[in-house]
Amino acid sequence: MRPRSSYKAPPSLGLIYSAVLQSVAEHGPRKMNLALAARLADTDRQLLYRNWPDRNALVRESVESELQRVLFIASDLCSEQEGLCRVAEKIVRAARMVREHPVTRATARTDPDLLRGALLGGDTQMHGWARYWLVGLFPRPSAWTPQHLRLLPDILLGVAAPFALTPPEEPHTDSERSQLDARLRITLHLCLGIAPDCPCAPTSPPP
């Protein structure tokens, strides 16, 4: 009879990312506890050290992967709206999801400039993913010229970032969430040149 093997398969990349994000949500990105992340992923720190050059690289990769997941979910919007109104609504949804994410809350509390720099910095992976996602939202064929499509994603990202990266005070209410969404929705409609009387965007923000 063969002896039973004690080999344990390493955790999946998704499980490692999830564990890292949970640790970041508890301690912030600068003080992410690698031992806690390894324990949550049911592995040991040596595996993490072997596969990532340092803790910051692992945090950055985990957050980038999570941003891609959030944007994918935000794109899958069931709505009767069409065209540019639908584009605006997807951006509003993505901003809300990022704003209310535990990692955003922890980063805003411990290192508020870190996410802003990562999302708005022109040479970062997160900026590239967000910009690529925004370009992909526009319907085809589009009335926008190539020049518009070069400039508009950065404008929209600059408009949406403050709404995405500034979590409301806890506990927040559904009314506060609706107010933030409405203010961003109005601003996006103006940026996209949608008629002011569009029913998707009220003419004035809620009180």
Side-chain angles (χ1 to χ4, degrees), residues 143-162:
W144 301 102
T145 66
Q147 183 178 8
H148 279 130
L149 289 176
R150 280 197 301 271
L151 299 175
L152 194 56
D154 289 318
I155 294 172
L156 296 176
L157 188 56
V159 166

Side-chain angles (χ1 to χ4, degrees), residues 4-75:
R4 181 176 296 177
S5 173
S6 61
Y7 172 76
K8 183 173 70 173
S12 67
L13 196 57
L15 182 58
I16 292 174
Y17 288 163
S18 178
V20 170
L21 293 170
Q22 186 173 335
S23 182
V24 170
E26 292 186 22
H27 300 283
R30 301 286 190 188
K31 296 183 178 180
M32 189 277 288
N33 189 312
L34 202 63
L36 172 60
R39 186 166 66 253
L40 291 170
D42 192 25
T43 188
D44 58 74
R45 282 180 293 178
Q46 294 307 314
L47 181 140
L48 303 182
Y49 286 132
R50 286 196 302 270
N51 289 278
W52 285 272
D54 55 53
R55 182 181 60 184
N56 291 336
L58 178 54
V59 170
R60 183 171 59 251
E61 190 174 310
S62 301
V63 173
E64 289 169 357
S65 175
E66 182 68 358
L67 176 64
Q68 293 177 56
R69 186 188 73 85
V70 166
L71 295 179
F72 177 80
I73 294 173
S75 295

Side-chain angles (χ1 to χ4, degrees), residues 2-201:
R2 289 185 176 181
R4 181 176 296 177
S5 173
S6 61
Y7 172 76
K8 183 173 70 173
S12 67
L13 196 57
L15 182 58
I16 292 174
Y17 288 163
S18 178
V20 170
L21 293 170
Q22 186 173 335
S23 182
V24 170
E26 292 186 22
H27 300 283
R30 301 286 190 188
K31 296 183 178 180
M32 189 277 288
N33 189 312
L34 202 63
L36 172 60
R39 186 166 66 253
L40 291 170
D42 192 25
T43 188
D44 58 74
R45 282 180 293 178
Q46 294 307 314
L47 181 140
L48 303 182
Y49 286 132
R50 286 196 302 270
N51 289 278
W52 285 272
D54 55 53
R55 182 181 60 184
N56 291 336
L58 178 54
V59 170
R60 183 171 59 251
E61 190 174 310
S62 301
V63 173
E64 289 169 357
S65 175
E66 182 68 358
L67 176 64
Q68 293 177 56
R69 186 188 73 85
V70 166
L71 295 179
F72 177 80
I73 294 173
S75 295
D76 188 22
L77 178 67
C78 296
S79 172
E80 295 180 356
Q81 298 168 14
E82 297 180 355
L84 295 180
C85 286
R86 190 177 181 86
V87 170
E89 204 56 39
K90 288 182 179 182
I91 298 173
V92 169
R93 187 185 191 194
R96 183 195 314 131
M97 292 179 66
V98 172
R99 179 173 68 242
E100 298 179 357
H101 198 287
V103 168
T104 305
R105 294 185 183 281
T107 306
R109 184 180 67 249
T110 62
D111 200 341
D113 293 330
L114 186 61
L115 267 183
R116 190 176 300 275
L119 192 59
L120 295 176
D123 58 348
T124 68
Q125 191 69 36
M126 285 183 65
H127 175 87
W129 276 115
R131 197 178 187 284
Y132 178 81
W133 179 77
L134 285 165
V135 171
L137 293 181
F138 289 91
R140 301 289 192 270
S142 174
W144 301 102
T145 66
Q147 183 178 8
H148 279 130
L149 289 176
R150 280 197 301 271
L151 299 175
L152 194 56
D154 289 318
I155 294 172
L156 296 176
L157 188 56
V159 166
F163 289 88
L165 302 181
T166 309
E169 296 292 332
E170 287 284 9
H172 68 280
T173 65
D174 288 341
S175 174
E176 290 171 323
R177 167 195 266 191
S178 297
Q179 289 176 23
L180 287 170
D181 286 355
R183 290 191 180 102
L184 177 56
R185 189 176 292 113
I186 290 168
T187 307
L188 290 171
H189 276 60
L190 292 173
C191 289
L192 293 169
I194 304 172
D197 58 351
C198 170
C200 299

